[in-house]
């Protein structure tokens, strides 16, 4: 079972002013301000193009300049909020390198009461006022989903809502008719709003938030302990799985954060953070004087540096280079240098007493003009690795100093300074003033990991739910994709019986009608579904219950409500059309 899954029915209280909730509230307010400025800019641009009056053009041009200036300031403020990684980090007193979490996508509150009521009345032919409790329950669930708590209960809440969206889609979204509801979501990094009538957009945004919440859970783990590292690895792997699932099932996403390049970058970032946790687990348990442990740590650190280099490449593609927060890029650059420095440091520590065979495995190529069987040559090579480590540490510190947001992160500064000082002290310990030998050139470290990241897609079957609108009837018949005609019939038993054959459960099907029998006379036809018997709803009734109710009819007969389907299709896949794309999801095995 997922260790993060807990019991919860509601989101966290948005009025509780925790540091994270303050951040989310400020982000939501900025999103609204950006949306307002974008609408003003669109209106001004339209007026500028439409008018021929030069004075009006000058006035509008001045207004556009003002609006664009406001937009730039708001986006910079939002970027600073999105760069607030410290809010999501662990409260442990131990020093951990900060991880990069994602803020949740914000969404507007939506009132779906009238559209759902209209659909129940028009499509299902039922009194919509009888379903107000179900509508309210769904709306309350969506409201709670907007502010999930940063733990397993919040994840369960998002998954519960996602699973309910499957039933909502089946119940209320017909193939060639929209419900008339617009789903508004804001880009998680820029705050630019997007809206669509397709339920796929709602599903995709919830999936994104599941991944984002996993990143926050991973970032808050105390990685100075083995359980904390294990939980962080699990959370980042699940975050990668959510983003990969999203990427594989979406095309032409309406917001940049859910575009294929952005999701690909996020998957790589999560994989890199998993690899970093694996390296931390090695260094947490290693003994400083254990030679093989140092070589293993060196290769793990080199691997972390390599995967962060790939993240940097993904962030540098044309679509994303001006989109990804500068602080994110800076952190990735810093970690690329920092872990490469650690790789050289651990190799230097191991060089003095390690075997030749092990050293040949740790380098990408043999060292030039050095005999590693000679202690003096191993010492020279160790010094060369330390020089490279110091250079990389200094580059990491330089990159850290360039970014204003990173300069505010004391923990990162402490980690980088400690690594730099440690390498300098080690170099000072082994440096000899009378060493006039030629300076050796240290080869790069061969990267290797003993645990490759295991990307885990979301398993929605872990959160079992009940269809909120199950009273409408079994989905196999009573769905938005089926159309039917209802009739009321009265059966009066004859000596030969009712003259019909029944089959199946929920609802019971009229499998055959005896020609000339009372069922045929009453107008029953093969293929009809029985939905009520003497006014009692039996859409969910089992076969035996309906048979028993029919056999117990009085002399006056039995009153039946039946429906006849126009068409019936069995859906193995649920394909939802976007305004500009397709979203596909496998039907989940859920209880109802």
């Amino acid at each position: 079972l997922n260790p993060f899954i807990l019991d919860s029915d509601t989101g966290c209280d948005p009025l509780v002013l925790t540091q994270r909730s303050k951040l989310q509230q400020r982000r939501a307010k900025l999103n609204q301000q950006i949306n307002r400025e974008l609408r003003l800019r669109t209106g001004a641009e339209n007026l500028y193009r439409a008018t021929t009056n030069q004075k009006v053009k000058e006035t509008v041009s001045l207004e556009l300049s003002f609006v664009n200036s406001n937009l730039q300031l708001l986006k910079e403020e939002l970027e600073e909020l999105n760069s607030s990684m410290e809010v999501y980090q662990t409260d442990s007193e131990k020093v951990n390198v900060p991880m990069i979490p994602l803020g949740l996508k914000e969404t507007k509150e939506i009132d779906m009461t009238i559209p759902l009521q209209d659909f129940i009345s028009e499509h299902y032919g039922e009194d919509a006022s009888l379903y107000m409790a179900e509508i309210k329950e769904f709306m309350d669930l969506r409201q709670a989903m907007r502010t999930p708590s940063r733990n397993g209960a919040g994840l369960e809440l998002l998954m519960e809502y996602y699973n309910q969206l499957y039933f909502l889609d089946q119940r209320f979204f017909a193939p060639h008719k929209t419900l008339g509801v617009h789903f508004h979501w804001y880009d998680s990094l820029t705050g630019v709003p997007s809206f669509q009538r397709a339920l796929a957009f709602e599903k995709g945004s919830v999936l994104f938030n599941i991944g984002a919440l996993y990143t926050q859970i991973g970032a808050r783990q105390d990685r100075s302990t083995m359980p904390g590292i294990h939980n962080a690895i699990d959370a980042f792997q699940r975050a990668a799985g959510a983003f990969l699932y999203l990427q594989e099932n979406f095309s032409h996403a309406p917001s940049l954060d859910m575009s294929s390049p952005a999701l690909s970058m996020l998957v790589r970032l999560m994989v890199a953070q998993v690899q970093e946790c694996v390296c931390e687990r090695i260094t947490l348990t290693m003994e400083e004087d254990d030679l093989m442990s140092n070589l293993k740590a060196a290769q793990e650190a080199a691997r972390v540096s390599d995967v962060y280099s790939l993240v940097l490449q993904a962030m540098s593609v044309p679509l994303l280079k001006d989109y990804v927060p500068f602080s994110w890029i800076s952190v990735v650059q810093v970690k690329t240098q920092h872990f490469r420095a650690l790789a050289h440091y651990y190799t230097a520590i191991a060089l003095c007493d390690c075997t030749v065979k092990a050293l040949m495995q740790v380098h990408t190529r043999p060292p030039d003009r050095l005999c590693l069987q000679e202690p003096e040559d191993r010492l020279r090579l160790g010094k060369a690795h330390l020089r490279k480590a110091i250079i990389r540490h200094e580059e990491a510190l330089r990159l850290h100093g360039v970014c204003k947001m990173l300069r505010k992160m004391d923990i990162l500064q402490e980690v980088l300074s400690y690594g730099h000082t440690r390498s300098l002290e080690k170099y000072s310990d082994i440096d000899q003033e009378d060493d006039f030998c030629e300076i050796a050139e240290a080869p790069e470290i061969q990267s290797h990991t003993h645990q490759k990241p295991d990307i885990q897609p979301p398993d929605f079957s872990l959160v079992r739910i009940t269809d909120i609108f199950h009273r409408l009837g079994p989905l196999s018949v009573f769905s938005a994709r089926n159309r039917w005609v209802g009739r009321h019939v009265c059966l009066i038993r004859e000596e030969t019986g009712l003259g019909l054959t029944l089959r199946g459960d929920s609802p019971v099907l009229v499998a055959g009608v005896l020609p000339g029998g009372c069922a045929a006379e009453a107008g029953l036809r093969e293929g009809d579904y029985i939905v009520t018997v003497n006014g009692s709803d039996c859409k969910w009734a089992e076969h035996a219950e309906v048979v028993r109710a029919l056999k117990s009819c009085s002399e006056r007969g039995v009153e039946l409500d039946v429906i006849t389907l126009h068409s019936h299709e069995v859906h193995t896949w649920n394909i939802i059309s976007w305004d500009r794309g397709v979203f596909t999801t496998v039907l989940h095995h859920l209880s109802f």
Side-chain angles (χ1 to χ4, degrees):
L1 290 176
N2 184 343
F4 295 120
I5 296 299
L6 305 173
D7 293 327
S8 175
D9 294 319
T10 60
C12 64
D13 186 354
L15 299 180
V16 176
L17 295 180
T18 63
Q19 196 173 5
R20 173 177 169 267
S21 64
K22 288 178 182 178
L23 186 67
Q24 289 293 113
Q25 287 182 21
R26 182 59 187 148
R27 184 183 285 118
K29 186 175 180 180
L30 280 174
N31 285 334
Q32 294 172 4
Q33 291 175 318
I34 290 173
N35 190 21
R36 183 171 63 250
E37 293 295 331
L38 286 172
R39 291 200 303 269
L40 284 172
R41 186 173 71 178
T42 301
E45 288 174 343
N46 290 338
L47 178 59
Y48 187 86
R49 286 191 293 266
T51 186
T52 56
N53 188 306
Q54 188 59 35
K55 190 172 183 180
V56 171
K57 277 184 176 288
E58 291 176 0
T59 303
V60 172
S61 180
L62 183 63
E63 182 66 24
L64 271 172
S65 176
F66 179 73
V67 168
N68 284 328
S69 177
N70 277 349
L71 263 176
Q72 183 62 32
L73 291 173
L74 289 170
K75 287 182 177 180
E76 287 177 1
E77 187 175 353
L78 184 62
E79 180 180 343
E80 186 169 336
L81 285 182
N82 288 327
S83 303
S84 301
M85 291 176 278
E86 289 178 294
V87 175
Y88 301 101
Q89 306 302 319
T90 177
D91 296 328
S92 170
E93 294 181 358
K94 299 287 185 179
V95 176
N96 288 131
V97 179
M99 294 294 188
I100 298 179
L102 274 77
L104 302 183
K105 288 175 70 70
E106 302 284 346
T107 180
K108 280 187 176 181
E109 186 175 353
I110 299 174
D111 188 356
M112 299 175 65
T113 304
I114 300 302
L116 292 178
Q117 282 185 315
D118 290 346
F119 198 88
I120 290 172
S121 299
E122 296 171 8
H123 185 80
Y124 292 97
E126 298 203 30
D127 184 353
S129 64
L130 300 177
Y131 288 86
M132 283 304 298
E134 284 89 345
I135 294 174
K136 183 179 184 304
E137 181 181 353
F138 178 81
M139 296 302 299
D140 288 346
L141 179 60
R142 188 182 192 277
Q143 180 66 16
M145 173 276 306
R146 297 175 63 198
T147 56
S149 53
R150 187 164 50 123
N151 52 28
L155 288 168
E156 183 178 2
L157 179 62
L158 289 172
M159 290 185 179
E160 179 185 355
Y161 181 68
Y162 179 87
N163 287 340
Q164 286 293 350
L165 289 178
Y166 161 70
F167 288 114
L168 190 78
D169 178 36
Q170 296 291 303
R171 297 285 189 192
F172 296 101
F173 285 78
H176 305 295
K177 181 181 178 182
T178 65
L179 197 61
V181 176
H182 286 87
F183 299 101
H184 291 253
W185 288 84
Y186 296 94
D187 188 288
S188 63
L189 296 181
T190 64
V192 174
S194 300
F195 65 90
Q196 285 196 352
R197 292 175 295 182
L199 192 64
F201 184 38
E202 180 90 342
K203 285 185 175 181
S205 298
V206 175
L207 275 171
F208 185 95
N209 275 358
I210 289 172
L213 196 54
Y214 271 125
T215 70
Q216 296 179 15
I217 290 173
R220 74 177 300 190
Q221 299 301 315
D222 180 5
R223 303 194 315 280
S224 64
T225 66
M226 291 301 287
I229 290 178
H230 172 78
N231 289 337
I233 289 174
D234 188 69
F236 289 130
Q237 286 180 159
R238 293 180 186 276
F243 296 133
L244 183 60
Y245 185 86
L246 203 54
Q247 183 187 12
E248 291 174 344
N249 291 283
F250 271 75
S251 60
H252 304 292
S255 59
L256 191 52
D257 55 357
M258 293 198 295
S259 66
S260 183
L263 292 172
S264 178
M265 179 271 294
L266 290 175
V267 171
R268 287 191 175 186
L269 176 60
M270 295 305 114
V271 167
Q273 296 191 145
V274 170
Q275 207 69 67
E276 183 176 347
C277 292
V278 171
C279 183
E280 288 177 332
R281 185 168 60 190
I282 298 295
T283 57
L284 185 65
T285 57
M286 67 180 287
E287 297 178 11
E288 290 187 8
D289 57 350
D290 184 76
L291 305 176
M292 296 307 296
S293 292
N294 276 288
L295 291 178
K296 185 177 179 181
Q299 290 189 306
E300 289 285 358
R303 177 64 179 170
V304 176
S305 179
D306 285 350
V307 292
Y308 272 118
S309 294
L310 294 176
V311 175
L312 194 58
Q313 290 178 20
M315 289 179 170
S316 303
V317 299
L319 190 65
L320 301 181
K321 64 180 181 180
D322 296 324
Y323 171 72
V324 177
F326 178 64
S327 61
W328 285 23
I329 297 173
S330 298
V331 166
V332 171
Q333 290 175 327
V334 165
K335 289 189 176 186
T336 301
Q337 298 295 330
H338 174 67
F339 282 97
R340 184 60 61 180
L342 291 182
H344 286 291
Y345 172 80
Y346 289 125
T347 302
I349 296 299
L351 266 167
C352 295
D353 301 301
C354 198
T355 64
V356 175
K357 182 178 178 181
L359 289 173
M360 294 301 292
Q361 292 174 340
V362 80
H363 289 121
T364 57
R365 61 174 177 80
D368 294 333
R369 297 186 298 277
L370 290 176
C371 179
L372 297 184
Q373 293 178 339
E374 298 294 333
E376 290 184 0
D377 281 355
R378 290 203 298 270
L379 185 62
R380 289 176 59 201
L381 185 58
K383 289 174 63 177
H385 278 293
L386 283 173
R387 281 193 293 272
K388 275 199 170 182
I390 293 168
I391 291 171
R392 296 280 187 165
H393 279 308
E394 289 174 348
E395 179 62 11
L397 286 166
R398 186 192 69 80
L399 291 168
H400 172 271
V402 168
C403 180
K404 181 179 71 173
M405 288 302 301
L406 296 194
R407 289 199 298 271
K408 298 178 181 179
M409 299 181 69
D410 296 335
I411 294 177
L412 185 56
Q413 172 75 35
E414 186 176 346
V415 170
L416 298 177
S417 297
Y418 172 77
H420 183 232
T421 302
R422 184 175 61 174
S423 294
L424 284 172
E425 289 177 350
K426 185 64 181 177
Y427 188 84
S428 177
D429 289 343
I430 65 174
D431 190 29
Q432 300 174 6
E433 292 184 4
D434 57 349
D435 183 3
F436 299 106
C437 296
E438 182 182 355
I439 297 175
E441 176 65 28
E444 283 302 323
I445 310 304
Q446 179 68 51
S447 70
H448 178 73
T449 182
H450 294 79
Q451 179 183 335
K452 293 183 178 179
D454 179 19
I455 296 177
Q456 301 178 31
D459 186 358
F460 296 102
S461 64
L462 290 175
V463 181
R464 302 179 68 84
I465 66 168
T466 299
D467 175 14
I468 290 177
F469 294 94
H470 73 278
R471 284 201 299 132
L472 290 172
L475 272 176
S476 58
V477 175
F478 300 95
S479 74
R481 289 154 177 76
N482 290 331
R483 300 196 66 84
W484 57 83
V485 175
R487 303 191 312 283
H488 182 81
V489 299
C490 180
L491 287 180
I492 300 177
R493 179 187 293 275
E494 297 178 349
E495 293 182 1
T496 56
L498 294 174
L500 76 164
T501 304
L502 303 181
R503 187 179 71 225
D505 301 303
S506 307
V508 173
L509 174 72
V510 178
V513 177
L514 183 67
C518 66
E521 292 293 330
L524 278 178
R525 296 194 294 267
E526 181 180 343
D528 285 345
Y529 288 97
I530 298 175
V531 294
T532 69
V533 177
N534 285 332
S536 297
D537 191 299
C538 61
K539 291 193 287 287
W540 285 101
E542 295 182 356
H543 183 92
E545 294 178 62
V546 175
V547 171
R548 190 162 50 249
L550 292 178
K551 286 183 175 180
S552 63
C553 65
S554 63
E555 295 180 356
R556 291 179 297 176
V558 59
E559 304 283 335
L560 300 180
D561 284 318
V562 299
I563 63 168
T564 303
L565 291 182
H566 288 322
S567 62
H568 180 66
E569 299 177 7
V570 179
H571 295 269
T572 304
W573 295 83
N574 169 30
I575 300 177
I576 311 165
S577 295
W578 284 70
D579 291 351
R580 296 182 303 134
V582 174
F583 174 67
T584 309
T585 178
V586 182
L587 300 189
H588 306 301
H589 300 289
L590 304 170
S591 62
F592 56 87

